[in-house]
Amino acid sequence: MGKIKIKIFVVALVAAMMAFISTSTLAYYSTVGKATNVVTFGNIQFIIHEMTDQGKEFPKEGVYIVPGDIVSKKVSIESDCEHPSIFV
């Protein structure tokens, strides 16, 4: 009678493990998610000011340089929209 109890226990244990594994697998494959993200930026407008070291406006067409030349300019940004904005 002892061998029958062991066989019943082993069969019950195997059945419980199979049930646990199959429900976990079923839950993994049946999970479905849907997300809708809406991103809006609004109306952002700004003006870029490029100045030379002497305070003159930097040429729009750029400057001709050769290796060894040093060209520096100061760049600033001005907000040109209805809402205030911060530029870092």
Side-chain angles (χ1 to χ4, degrees):
M1 189 128 161
K3 289 184 178 182
I4 295 175
K5 285 185 180 181
I6 292 174
K7 287 182 183 180
I8 292 173
F9 177 74
V10 169
V11 169
L13 182 63
V14 169
M17 289 175 60
M18 291 299 290
F20 177 73
I21 291 171
S22 65
T23 56
S24 298
T25 304
L26 181 64
Y28 177 77
Y29 286 113
S30 64
T31 303
V32 176
K34 183 178 179 182
T36 303
N37 297 324
V38 178
V39 179
T40 58
F41 293 102
N43 186 10
I44 299 174
Q45 299 172 351
F46 54 90
I47 301 170
I48 299 175
H49 298 287
E50 298 174 328
M51 305 297 277
T52 62
D53 284 341
Q54 292 80 25
K56 298 177 184 177
E57 190 170 327
F58 202 80
K60 297 287 183 197
E61 64 277 353
V63 293
Y64 178 76
I65 60 171
V66 293
D69 285 352
I70 297 175
V71 178
S72 61
K73 65 179 173 180
K74 297 178 182 178
V75 179
S76 63
I77 300 173
E78 177 185 353
S79 177
D80 188 34
C81 58
E82 298 173 9
H83 306 288
S85 57
I86 298 173
F87 294 103
V88 178

